[in-house]
Amino acid sequence: MATPVKVYGPPMSTAVSRVLACLYEKNVEFELISINMSKGEHKKPEFLKLQPFGQVPAFEDESISIFESRAICRYICDKYADKGNKGLYGTNPLAKASIDQWIEAEGQSFNPPSSTLVFQLAFAPRMNIKQDKVLIRQNEEKLSKVLDIYEKRLGEARFLAGDEFSLADLSHLPNTQYLVSGTDKGNLFTSRENVGRWWDEISSRDSWKKVVDLQKGA
C-alpha cells in the first residue's frame, strides 16, 4: 500500500486549504500534520528543511518535498493524472496553458488584494490587531477591478479556463470563502451575476465542502 502524501500546516491557512482541495479533487490519500504556528513550529530547523521560508504548507510525497501551494497542486495533478478529476489541470497543452494563465491571474492580480482583505477583516480582529481602514478601502477597490474582468470572462465561459472546473477555479476558493462567509465584503462576489453564479458552483463542490468541514473541526 502506498504511503499517503503528507501536508504540513493548519487547514485554516488559505494556502494549506488550496492543497487539500486539490487532493480531494484527485482522490489522493493524505495525512494532515498539524503545525502550531503560534508556538513557532514553522520556524524550527526540522520544518525549515521542508519549507526554507518557514511558511505553510510543506508537502512530502515519499522522498520528495515541495513548497508553495500552487506548485504543489500542479505536482499532484501531474503525478496522479489518472486519479480523481482527470481534467483538473487539463489534458493537452492548450488546456494547460489556459488554466496556467488564470492561475497566474489569481496569484498576481486576485491574491494580493484578496489576501490583504482576508487578513484585515477575518484575521486581524481575532489577533487583536487594529484594522487599517485605508488599506481595506484601497484593496477593496483593487479587488473590485479584478472582479470586473472576471465578470466579463465568466459571461463568456462557465469557468475561468473554459467549460470545465479546473485548478484555476480551485485556486480562488480559499480567499473567496473567507471574504464571502467571514466578512461583510461578500457582495463583491455575489453582486456580480456571473461571478456570483461561478462562486455558488465552485464552492458547492464536494471537495471544497470537505475542506470547510476540516476547518470547522480544527
Side-chain angles (χ1 to χ4, degrees), residues 112-202:
S114 63
S115 287
T116 299
L117 290 174
V118 167
F119 179 79
Q120 288 289 329
L121 298 170
F123 286 106
R126 303 180 196 180
M127 301 166 69
N128 293 318
I129 296 173
K130 185 178 179 181
Q131 293 175 316
D132 186 328
K133 302 298 184 183
V134 173
L135 199 60
I136 290 171
R137 186 179 69 253
Q138 290 174 341
N139 282 278
E140 185 176 353
E141 291 172 357
K142 290 177 183 178
L143 182 58
S144 185
K145 290 177 181 177
V146 173
L147 291 176
D148 284 342
I149 296 171
Y150 280 39
E151 177 70 8
K152 182 176 186 296
R153 170 58 181 164
L154 291 165
E156 302 164 347
R158 183 177 173 188
F159 298 101
L160 287 172
D163 292 327
E164 301 293 334
F165 176 83
S166 75
L167 206 52
D169 307 291
L170 182 151
S171 288
H172 291 78
L173 283 164
N175 282 2
T176 309
Q177 178 73 35
Y178 275 114
L179 293 176
V180 171
S181 301
T183 76
D184 62 356
K185 302 301 181 184
N187 64 303
L188 287 168
F189 299 85
T190 58
S191 66
R192 291 172 166 83
E193 180 181 359
N194 298 318
V195 171
R197 183 266 310 159
W198 168 74
W199 170 247
D200 285 344
E201 187 163 2
I202 67 173

XYZ file of all heavy atoms in Angstrom, residues 112-202:
738
model
N -3.203 39.280 -4.197
C -2.715 40.378 -3.351
C -3.833 41.168 -2.654
O -3.801 41.303 -1.421
C -1.889 41.219 -4.320
C -1.385 40.229 -5.321
C -2.546 39.287 -5.524
N -4.831 41.695 -3.379
C -5.868 42.445 -2.662
C -6.771 41.552 -1.817
O -7.176 41.946 -0.715
C -6.660 43.131 -3.783
C -6.427 42.308 -4.990
C -5.031 41.772 -4.844
N -7.081 40.351 -2.302
C -7.986 39.491 -1.528
C -7.312 38.989 -0.258
O -7.945 38.905 0.804
C -8.495 38.315 -2.374
O -7.457 37.464 -2.786
N -6.010 38.685 -0.312
C -5.289 38.243 0.886
C -5.211 39.355 1.920
O -5.339 39.114 3.130
C -3.872 37.783 0.524
O -3.897 36.546 -0.141
N -4.999 40.581 1.455
C -4.961 41.721 2.377
C -6.304 41.879 3.068
O -6.368 42.095 4.293
C -4.604 43.008 1.616
O -3.305 42.858 1.032
C -4.593 44.214 2.554
N -7.385 41.754 2.307
C -8.720 41.884 2.894
C -9.011 40.732 3.857
O -9.611 40.951 4.923
C -9.780 41.936 1.791
C -9.787 43.217 0.951
C -10.783 43.089 -0.204
C -10.116 44.437 1.798
N -8.603 39.525 3.499
C -8.810 38.386 4.401
C -8.106 38.635 5.732
O -8.677 38.429 6.807
C -8.313 37.071 3.758
C -8.239 35.947 4.803
C -9.228 36.651 2.620
N -6.857 39.099 5.663
C -6.124 39.337 6.910
C -6.765 40.468 7.714
O -7.013 40.330 8.916
C -4.656 39.680 6.633
C -3.888 39.959 7.904
C -3.449 38.917 8.697
C -3.660 41.268 8.322
C -2.776 39.164 9.895
C -2.989 41.525 9.509
C -2.546 40.474 10.298
N -7.035 41.578 7.055
C -7.557 42.746 7.764
C -8.952 42.514 8.344
O -9.260 42.969 9.450
C -7.595 43.954 6.809
C -6.239 44.527 6.467
C -5.605 45.247 7.635
O -6.282 45.822 8.483
N -4.269 45.217 7.694
N -9.790 41.803 7.615
C -11.190 41.660 8.014
C -11.483 40.381 8.794
O -12.348 40.377 9.678
C -12.090 41.717 6.769
C -12.039 43.029 5.995
C -12.771 42.876 4.658
C -12.634 44.166 6.796
N -10.781 39.287 8.463
C -11.088 37.998 9.099
C -10.110 37.641 10.222
O -10.522 37.081 11.245
C -11.109 36.887 8.051
N -8.836 37.951 10.034
C -7.826 37.503 10.991
C -7.416 38.573 12.000
O -7.201 38.270 13.174
C -6.599 36.976 10.268
C -6.806 35.628 9.633
C -6.944 35.503 8.253
C -6.891 34.483 10.408
C -7.159 34.270 7.674
C -7.097 33.238 9.830
C -7.235 33.134 8.462
N -7.273 39.816 11.565
C -6.815 40.875 12.475
C -7.693 40.989 13.721
O -7.157 41.096 14.839
C -6.732 42.211 11.732
N -9.038 40.942 13.587
C -9.861 41.038 14.803
C -9.606 39.896 15.788
O -9.615 40.107 17.003
C -11.294 40.987 14.255
C -11.191 41.478 12.843
C -9.879 40.957 12.360
N -9.370 38.694 15.269
C -9.111 37.541 16.136
C -7.770 37.676 16.853
O -7.565 37.121 17.923
C -9.105 36.239 15.325
C -10.376 35.959 14.537
C -10.237 34.643 13.791
N -11.234 34.494 12.746
C -11.325 33.435 11.946
N -10.457 32.439 12.089
N -12.253 33.373 11.020
N -6.839 38.395 16.200
C -5.485 38.529 16.735
C -5.310 39.828 17.516
O -4.189 40.173 17.896
C -4.478 38.465 15.578
C -4.552 37.175 14.768
S -3.670 37.264 13.179
C -1.976 37.353 13.744
N -6.420 40.547 17.708
C -6.385 41.836 18.409
C -5.432 42.824 17.752
O -4.726 43.585 18.421
C -6.010 41.641 19.887
C -7.078 40.888 20.651
O -8.273 41.144 20.475
N -6.664 39.952 21.491
N -5.424 42.794 16.411
C -4.632 43.740 15.627
C -5.581 44.796 15.062
O -6.642 44.472 14.528
C -3.885 43.026 14.482
C -2.860 42.040 15.054
C -3.209 44.025 13.559
C -2.190 41.180 13.999
N -5.210 46.056 15.188
C -6.051 47.141 14.702
C -6.162 47.087 13.186
O -5.166 46.958 12.476
C -5.478 48.493 15.137
C -6.366 49.673 14.766
C -5.772 50.991 15.256
C -6.661 52.166 14.861
N -6.090 53.462 15.310
N -7.380 47.193 12.688
C -7.598 47.176 11.248
C -7.163 48.498 10.623
O -7.316 49.565 11.217
C -9.077 46.925 10.942
C -9.556 45.535 11.324
C -11.046 45.363 11.123
O -11.822 46.240 11.480
N -11.451 44.243 10.565
N -6.613 48.402 9.418
C -6.171 49.572 8.666
C -7.267 49.918 7.656
O -7.376 49.287 6.609
C -4.846 49.264 7.962
C -4.238 50.477 7.281
O -4.989 51.337 6.809
O -2.990 50.549 7.205
N -8.078 50.918 7.980
C -9.232 51.257 7.139
C -8.815 51.718 5.749
O -9.494 51.439 4.760
C -10.069 52.346 7.827
C -10.589 51.970 9.209
C -11.520 50.768 9.163
C -12.098 50.463 10.541
N -12.955 49.260 10.537
N -7.707 52.450 5.671
C -7.232 52.927 4.367
C -6.813 51.749 3.497
O -7.164 51.666 2.313
C -6.053 53.912 4.546
C -5.453 54.274 3.180
C -6.510 55.166 5.271
N -6.082 50.812 4.082
C -5.640 49.628 3.358
C -6.834 48.795 2.899
O -6.843 48.278 1.776
C -4.724 48.790 4.259
C -3.812 47.763 3.588
C -2.872 48.434 2.605
C -3.026 47.000 4.644
N -7.830 48.688 3.747
C -9.034 47.936 3.390
C -9.715 48.588 2.188
O -10.077 47.907 1.214
C -10.007 47.859 4.592
C -9.422 46.960 5.682
C -11.382 47.339 4.137
C -10.191 46.991 6.985
N -9.880 49.899 2.226
C -10.547 50.598 1.123
C -9.751 50.464 -0.178
O -10.316 50.193 -1.248
C -10.734 52.073 1.470
C -11.554 52.827 0.418
C -11.766 54.284 0.779
N -10.535 55.059 0.702
C -9.864 55.507 1.765
N -10.315 55.253 2.991
N -8.756 56.203 1.618
N -8.443 50.637 -0.100
C -7.599 50.546 -1.297
C -7.686 49.166 -1.936
O -7.805 49.042 -3.167
C -6.144 50.860 -0.935
C -5.886 52.312 -0.592
C -4.465 52.542 -0.104
O -3.773 51.610 0.315
N -4.016 53.802 -0.129
N -7.648 48.127 -1.110
C -7.648 46.772 -1.649
C -9.035 46.314 -2.079
O -9.160 45.470 -2.976
C -7.022 45.815 -0.643
C -5.511 45.918 -0.650
O -4.841 45.318 -1.486
N -4.964 46.719 0.255
N -10.062 46.876 -1.478
C -11.411 46.612 -1.961
C -11.576 47.167 -3.376
O -12.158 46.518 -4.250
C -12.440 47.228 -1.022
C -13.869 46.902 -1.400
C -14.893 47.450 -0.407
O -14.483 47.973 0.644
O -16.096 47.341 -0.701
N -11.037 48.344 -3.614
C -11.087 48.947 -4.948
C -10.290 48.115 -5.957
O -10.740 47.891 -7.092
C -10.556 50.377 -4.894
C -11.461 51.344 -4.139
C -10.817 52.703 -3.924
O -9.643 52.878 -4.317
O -11.493 53.593 -3.353
N -9.122 47.652 -5.542
C -8.297 46.823 -6.433
C -9.001 45.518 -6.779
O -9.030 45.098 -7.943
C -6.942 46.524 -5.776
C -6.013 47.719 -5.665
C -4.728 47.332 -4.941
C -3.808 48.524 -4.748
N -2.575 48.155 -3.991
N -9.568 44.864 -5.764
C -10.245 43.593 -5.997
C -11.477 43.792 -6.869
O -11.779 42.948 -7.725
C -10.627 42.946 -4.667
C -11.305 41.571 -4.758
C -10.416 40.571 -5.502
C -11.629 41.041 -3.355
N -12.180 44.884 -6.676
C -13.361 45.165 -7.474
C -13.014 45.256 -8.963
O -13.736 44.728 -9.818
C -14.012 46.476 -7.007
O -15.209 46.709 -7.694
N -11.890 45.885 -9.275
C -11.456 45.999 -10.673
C -11.111 44.633 -11.253
O -11.412 44.342 -12.419
C -10.258 46.945 -10.774
C -10.616 48.398 -10.499
C -9.383 49.294 -10.535
C -9.756 50.742 -10.227
N -8.550 51.629 -10.198
N -10.472 43.782 -10.446
C -10.152 42.424 -10.891
C -11.443 41.640 -11.168
O -11.576 40.962 -12.188
C -9.297 41.688 -9.838
C -9.117 40.217 -10.228
C -7.938 42.365 -9.688
N -12.400 41.778 -10.268
C -13.646 41.025 -10.413
C -14.489 41.536 -11.574
O -15.304 40.779 -12.129
C -14.438 41.060 -9.105
C -13.794 40.276 -7.957
C -14.595 40.451 -6.665
C -13.672 38.792 -8.290
N -14.302 42.775 -11.982
C -14.968 43.257 -13.193
C -14.471 42.483 -14.416
O -15.254 42.157 -15.321
C -14.708 44.757 -13.385
C -15.536 45.623 -12.442
O -16.532 45.122 -11.881
O -15.168 46.804 -12.262
N -13.175 42.196 -14.434
C -12.599 41.405 -15.527
C -13.128 39.976 -15.460
O -13.488 39.378 -16.492
C -11.058 41.434 -15.452
C -10.550 42.864 -15.674
C -10.445 40.473 -16.473
C -9.067 43.044 -15.397
N -13.213 39.428 -14.258
C -13.745 38.074 -14.083
C -15.205 38.014 -14.526
O -15.639 37.022 -15.127
C -13.634 37.648 -12.611
C -12.277 37.175 -12.179
C -11.112 37.793 -12.626
C -12.131 36.108 -11.305
C -9.862 37.362 -12.223
C -10.880 35.663 -10.891
C -9.753 36.297 -11.354
O -8.523 35.864 -10.949
N -15.949 39.050 -14.216
C -17.365 39.078 -14.592
C -17.518 38.956 -16.104
O -18.385 38.209 -16.596
C -18.014 40.372 -14.093
C -19.474 40.557 -14.470
C -20.414 39.608 -13.763
O -19.985 38.877 -12.841
O -21.610 39.575 -14.152
N -16.699 39.665 -16.841
C -16.742 39.586 -18.299
C -16.347 38.196 -18.772
O -17.017 37.596 -19.626
C -15.812 40.641 -18.905
C -15.828 40.679 -20.431
C -14.959 41.817 -20.945
C -15.076 41.952 -22.455
N -14.581 40.767 -23.193
N -15.259 37.669 -18.239
C -14.796 36.342 -18.637
C -15.847 35.279 -18.350
O -16.116 34.404 -19.174
C -13.488 35.999 -17.906
C -13.034 34.553 -18.047
C -12.853 34.168 -19.494
N -12.446 32.778 -19.636
C -12.511 32.092 -20.789
N -12.971 32.671 -21.903
N -12.124 30.837 -20.837
N -16.458 35.355 -17.184
C -17.418 34.332 -16.779
C -18.779 34.511 -17.457
O -19.658 33.672 -17.309
C -17.561 34.322 -15.255
C -16.297 33.820 -14.526
C -16.348 34.168 -13.046
C -16.120 32.312 -14.723
N -18.922 35.576 -18.216
C -20.072 35.713 -19.100
C -19.833 35.003 -20.419
O -20.773 34.728 -21.177
N -18.560 34.681 -20.679
C -18.183 34.004 -21.925
C -17.989 32.501 -21.732
O -18.092 31.728 -22.685
C -16.876 34.602 -22.458
C -16.935 36.088 -22.726
C -15.553 36.724 -22.886
O -14.542 36.057 -22.551
O -15.493 37.882 -23.334
N -17.667 32.098 -20.514
C -17.383 30.689 -20.220
C -17.934 30.339 -18.847
O -18.065 31.204 -17.972
C -15.875 30.424 -20.263
N -18.246 29.075 -18.656
C -18.804 28.624 -17.383
C -17.794 28.752 -16.251
O -18.137 29.109 -15.123
C -19.250 27.166 -17.528
C -19.914 26.573 -16.299
C -20.363 25.158 -16.593
N -20.855 24.470 -15.400
C -21.167 23.172 -15.383
N -21.059 22.446 -16.489
N -21.596 22.621 -14.254
N -16.522 28.445 -16.571
C -15.440 28.547 -15.597
C -14.326 29.407 -16.185
O -14.358 29.755 -17.363
C -14.918 27.160 -15.224
C -15.943 26.271 -14.577
C -16.588 25.278 -15.303
C -16.281 26.435 -13.239
C -17.550 24.462 -14.718
C -17.236 25.624 -12.637
C -17.876 24.633 -13.380
N -13.318 29.737 -15.393
C -12.299 30.672 -15.845
C -11.525 30.181 -17.071
O -11.251 30.952 -17.986
C -11.331 30.981 -14.699
C -11.901 31.874 -13.596
C -10.929 31.959 -12.427
C -12.233 33.266 -14.120
N -11.162 28.909 -17.077
C -10.340 28.390 -18.174
C -11.165 27.701 -19.259
O -10.609 27.104 -20.167
C -9.285 27.427 -17.632
N -12.478 27.765 -19.165
C -13.320 27.114 -20.171
C -14.595 26.566 -19.559
O -15.111 27.110 -18.583
N -15.063 25.481 -20.105
C -16.347 24.930 -19.675
C -16.240 23.851 -18.612
O -17.245 23.259 -18.221
C -17.106 24.377 -20.892
C -17.549 25.495 -21.833
O -17.850 26.600 -21.316
O -17.567 25.291 -23.054
N -15.014 23.579 -18.146
C -14.820 22.573 -17.102
C -14.130 23.193 -15.888
O -13.222 24.015 -16.039
C -13.976 21.398 -17.624
C -14.563 20.659 -18.820
C -15.842 19.914 -18.477
O -16.021 19.547 -17.293
O -16.664 19.697 -19.393
N -14.545 22.785 -14.706
C -13.879 23.201 -13.467
C -12.419 22.775 -13.511
O -12.098 21.661 -13.913
C -14.572 22.539 -12.279
C -13.916 22.801 -10.949
C -14.178 23.972 -10.246
C -13.045 21.874 -10.391
C -13.578 24.221 -9.015
C -12.439 22.113 -9.164
C -12.715 23.290 -8.474
N -11.532 23.661 -13.103
C -10.105 23.354 -13.169
C -9.367 23.925 -11.969
O -9.942 24.598 -11.100
C -9.494 23.928 -14.461
O -9.334 25.340 -14.348
N -8.063 23.678 -11.981
C -7.186 24.201 -10.930
C -7.254 25.727 -10.863
O -7.044 26.315 -9.798
C -5.752 23.738 -11.217
C -4.777 23.600 -10.054
C -5.355 22.746 -8.937
C -3.457 22.998 -10.569
N -7.570 26.360 -11.976
C -7.693 27.822 -11.983
C -8.818 28.274 -11.061
O -8.657 29.225 -10.287
C -7.938 28.315 -13.406
N -9.952 27.608 -11.134
C -11.079 27.951 -10.265
C -10.771 27.565 -8.818
O -11.022 28.339 -7.884
C -12.347 27.217 -10.737
C -12.633 27.446 -12.199
O -12.996 28.580 -12.570
O -12.477 26.494 -12.996
N -10.239 26.367 -8.652
C -9.922 25.855 -7.316
C -9.020 26.815 -6.548
O -9.202 27.010 -5.344
C -9.281 24.477 -7.443
C -8.902 23.730 -6.164
C -8.970 22.212 -6.396
C -7.505 24.083 -5.680
N -8.074 27.432 -7.231
C -7.111 28.304 -6.559
C -7.769 29.517 -5.913
O -7.197 30.127 -5.001
C -6.028 28.763 -7.543
O -5.153 27.698 -7.854
N -8.955 29.870 -6.376
C -9.663 31.024 -5.831
C -10.508 30.694 -4.609
O -11.009 31.605 -3.926
C -10.578 31.629 -6.902
C -9.856 32.288 -8.034
N -9.275 31.578 -9.060
C -9.615 33.596 -8.284
C -8.718 32.433 -9.914
N -8.906 33.657 -9.469
N -10.703 29.424 -4.329
C -11.626 29.027 -3.266
C -11.231 29.546 -1.874
O -12.086 30.078 -1.151
C -11.768 27.501 -3.241
C -12.664 26.896 -4.325
C -12.419 25.396 -4.458
C -14.139 27.157 -4.009
N -9.986 29.416 -1.433
C -9.657 29.771 -0.043
C -9.948 31.221 0.334
O -10.647 31.485 1.320
C -8.160 29.444 0.050
C -7.939 28.382 -0.985
C -8.824 28.783 -2.119
N -9.424 32.174 -0.435
C -9.638 33.578 -0.079
C -11.099 33.974 -0.227
O -11.641 34.714 0.602
C -8.758 34.488 -0.946
C -7.315 34.520 -0.496
O -6.929 33.841 0.458
N -6.496 35.284 -1.185
N -11.735 33.488 -1.289
C -13.133 33.864 -1.509
C -14.026 33.329 -0.399
O -14.971 33.999 0.023
C -13.614 33.358 -2.881
O -12.690 33.767 -3.893
C -14.988 33.923 -3.215
N -13.725 32.130 0.085
C -14.507 31.553 1.180
C -14.513 32.483 2.393
O -15.562 32.759 2.980
C -13.943 30.188 1.570
C -14.653 29.514 2.746
C -16.017 28.975 2.374
O -16.201 28.500 1.252
N -16.971 29.053 3.282
N -13.335 32.969 2.753
C -13.249 33.876 3.907
C -14.015 35.172 3.655
O -14.741 35.665 4.532
C -11.789 34.202 4.223
C -11.113 33.186 5.103
C -10.076 32.400 4.635
C -11.509 33.007 6.431
C -9.446 31.465 5.441
C -10.893 32.085 7.254
C -9.862 31.307 6.752
O -9.249 30.387 7.560
N -13.858 35.735 2.455
C -14.485 37.025 2.177
C -16.002 36.913 2.104
O -16.716 37.807 2.568
C -13.918 37.610 0.877
C -12.447 38.020 0.941
C -11.965 38.499 -0.413
C -12.236 39.115 1.992
N -16.510 35.833 1.524
C -17.955 35.672 1.391
C -18.599 35.254 2.705
O -19.658 35.750 3.082
C -18.286 34.649 0.274
C -19.771 34.308 0.269
C -17.869 35.203 -1.087
N -17.938 34.341 3.422
C -18.554 33.751 4.611
C -18.150 34.416 5.926
O -18.872 34.295 6.919
C -18.206 32.260 4.696
O -18.666 31.583 3.540
N -17.003 35.111 5.940
C -16.499 35.619 7.210
C -16.309 37.111 7.304
O -15.769 37.617 8.287
N -16.745 37.865 6.264
C -16.608 39.326 6.298
C -17.873 39.955 5.708
O -18.768 39.257 5.228
C -15.392 39.804 5.461
O -15.717 39.741 4.069
C -14.161 38.954 5.736
N -17.897 41.274 5.693
C -19.044 41.981 5.102
C -18.765 42.381 3.652
O -19.452 43.244 3.097
C -19.388 43.225 5.937
C -18.251 44.239 5.991
O -17.159 43.957 5.448
O -18.459 45.327 6.581
N -17.766 41.744 3.033
C -17.400 42.085 1.653
C -17.849 41.021 0.637
O -17.433 41.058 -0.515
C -15.879 42.287 1.540
C -15.320 43.362 2.466
C -15.934 44.723 2.217
C -15.345 45.773 3.145
N -16.003 47.105 2.997
N -18.708 40.122 1.069
C -19.177 39.084 0.159
C -19.902 39.630 -1.051
O -19.930 38.997 -2.110
N -20.459 40.841 -0.908
C -21.187 41.430 -2.036
C -20.284 41.727 -3.227
O -20.765 41.889 -4.354
C -21.895 42.717 -1.588
C -20.914 43.802 -1.163
O -20.095 43.602 -0.267
N -20.997 44.959 -1.797
N -18.980 41.826 -2.987
C -18.052 41.993 -4.112
C -18.222 40.856 -5.121
O -18.049 41.050 -6.331
C -16.605 42.019 -3.607
C -16.136 43.275 -2.878
C -14.799 43.022 -2.197
C -16.030 44.443 -3.848
N -18.556 39.682 -4.622
C -18.742 38.498 -5.467
C -20.215 38.297 -5.821
O -20.559 38.114 -6.990
C -18.195 37.258 -4.757
C -16.730 37.337 -4.449
C -16.270 37.960 -3.298
C -15.789 36.812 -5.332
C -14.910 38.056 -3.019
C -14.424 36.904 -5.065
C -13.993 37.539 -3.905
N -21.059 38.328 -4.822
C -22.467 37.965 -5.028
C -23.247 39.010 -5.803
O -24.276 38.700 -6.408
C -23.147 37.698 -3.673
O -23.043 38.866 -2.844
C -22.494 36.521 -2.961
N -22.782 40.261 -5.808
C -23.495 41.309 -6.546
C -23.230 41.246 -8.046
O -23.937 41.890 -8.834
C -23.107 42.693 -6.017
O -21.741 42.965 -6.284
N -22.230 40.500 -8.448
C -21.910 40.332 -9.863
C -22.544 39.039 -10.356
O -22.243 37.965 -9.832
C -20.391 40.320 -10.073
C -19.732 41.669 -9.822
C -18.215 41.577 -9.842
N -17.594 42.891 -9.923
C -17.374 43.693 -8.884
N -17.721 43.281 -7.657
N -16.818 44.878 -9.040
N -23.391 39.132 -11.354
C -24.206 37.990 -11.790
C -23.363 36.766 -12.127
O -23.616 35.661 -11.632
C -25.059 38.380 -12.998
C -25.943 37.244 -13.512
C -26.759 37.635 -14.725
O -26.646 38.801 -15.166
O -27.500 36.770 -15.239
N -22.361 36.942 -12.975
C -21.576 35.791 -13.436
C -20.605 35.301 -12.365
O -20.428 34.100 -12.191
C -20.817 36.153 -14.721
C -21.757 36.506 -15.858
O -22.767 35.842 -16.058
N -21.443 37.554 -16.592
N -19.992 36.245 -11.665
C -19.082 35.864 -10.579
C -19.858 35.153 -9.478
O -19.407 34.139 -8.922
C -18.337 37.097 -10.017
C -17.567 36.734 -8.745
C -17.377 37.658 -11.062
N -21.047 35.655 -9.156
C -21.867 35.028 -8.125
C -22.290 33.618 -8.503
O -22.245 32.698 -7.665
N -22.674 33.445 -9.753
C -23.039 32.104 -10.247
C -21.855 31.163 -10.171
O -21.971 30.008 -9.731
C -23.552 32.237 -11.694
C -24.044 30.964 -12.355
C -22.969 30.263 -13.171
N -22.299 31.166 -14.088
C -21.097 30.924 -14.596
N -20.408 29.825 -14.236
N -20.524 31.782 -15.423
N -20.706 31.655 -10.594
C -19.461 30.867 -10.566
C -19.107 30.473 -9.134
O -18.796 29.307 -8.861
C -18.355 31.704 -11.207
C -16.943 31.229 -11.054
C -16.350 30.176 -11.692
C -15.916 31.843 -10.247
N -15.024 30.094 -11.321
C -14.735 31.095 -10.450
C -15.893 32.946 -9.397
C -13.534 31.429 -9.812
C -14.708 33.274 -8.770
C -13.545 32.519 -8.973
N -19.181 31.432 -8.208
C -18.839 31.135 -6.817
C -19.780 30.080 -6.241
O -19.331 29.145 -5.561
C -18.857 32.395 -5.967
C -18.753 32.075 -4.505
C -19.700 32.243 -3.537
C -17.638 31.445 -3.855
N -19.253 31.774 -2.325
C -17.982 31.276 -2.499
C -16.382 31.019 -4.284
C -17.121 30.702 -1.576
C -15.517 30.450 -3.354
C -15.885 30.293 -2.024
N -21.065 30.216 -6.485
C -22.025 29.231 -5.974
C -21.675 27.830 -6.469
O -21.763 26.852 -5.711
C -23.448 29.581 -6.424
C -24.027 30.763 -5.655
O -23.473 31.098 -4.592
O -25.023 31.346 -6.127
N -21.267 27.754 -7.722
C -20.973 26.437 -8.302
C -19.674 25.844 -7.768
O -19.634 24.678 -7.369
C -20.917 26.531 -9.827
C -20.794 25.178 -10.501
C -21.134 25.180 -11.977
O -21.445 26.258 -12.529
O -21.097 24.093 -12.583
N -18.598 26.626 -7.729
C -17.320 26.045 -7.311
C -17.296 25.771 -5.808
O -16.662 24.819 -5.353
C -16.113 26.902 -7.747
C -16.069 28.252 -7.029
C -16.115 27.097 -9.261
C -14.796 29.059 -7.300
